[in-house]
Amino acid sequence: MSKANQNYSTVDIFSIARNRQKINTTVAVSEMPELAGMIVNADACLPFEVQIEGTDGIKGLPAAILTVKGCVQMLCTRCTKSVEIAIDREVPFLFVKSEAEANRLPVDEDEEWEVVVGSEHLKVADWVQEEVILSLPTFPKHEDCEAPYSEHLQTDMQEAVEEKPKPFANLRELLKKN
């Protein structure tokens, strides 16, 4: 069962999983304040395309696959100009009703499923924001750029090298005296 592209602010994730629903929606950056603080030109960013699809989980738990697609701009760590970062993330989730239930599940490092506490009123923007932030590079950079060249910086570096004291400069003279 698929639902048309609507604007869902909250969803009943247990119902989506149980009924194998597919929901298509969008989430604007303005709904994700932590993300907006990490990117540039947040006002110009197009909404993220989001798909939530209920599916068969493992261990008898309700499950869904979250797919998020979109683009953001961050500052390049090399040239400090804007660089576009494409977001294309698909993550399978298992849902439990409480933290205690999540803690009882055995931890399997190779497990591809993320286990989270679900809700009948899960805020889609919060869920998407977390996944987009996890997708962002720690050091965003262009594929082919260099740090900006500054003659002043080059001159300052040369002066620092020239001014550096040389502790063994007089060693030869001291050795001759002894």
Side-chain angles (χ1 to χ4, degrees), residues 40-67:
V40 295
N41 300 327
D43 295 337
C45 189
L46 294 174
F48 287 90
E49 296 175 16
V50 178
Q51 183 180 78
I52 303 166
E53 183 175 2
T55 186
D56 291 327
I58 58 171
K59 303 174 187 172
L61 295 172
I65 297 174
L66 174 69
T67 305

Side-chain angles (χ1 to χ4, degrees), residues 53-82:
E53 183 175 2
T55 186
D56 291 327
I58 58 171
K59 303 174 187 172
L61 295 172
I65 297 174
L66 174 69
T67 305
V68 180
K69 293 182 181 187
C71 289
V72 297
Q73 291 184 7
M74 298 179 77
L75 291 180
C76 175
T77 55
R78 287 189 209 151
C79 68
T80 67
K81 294 181 182 169
S82 179

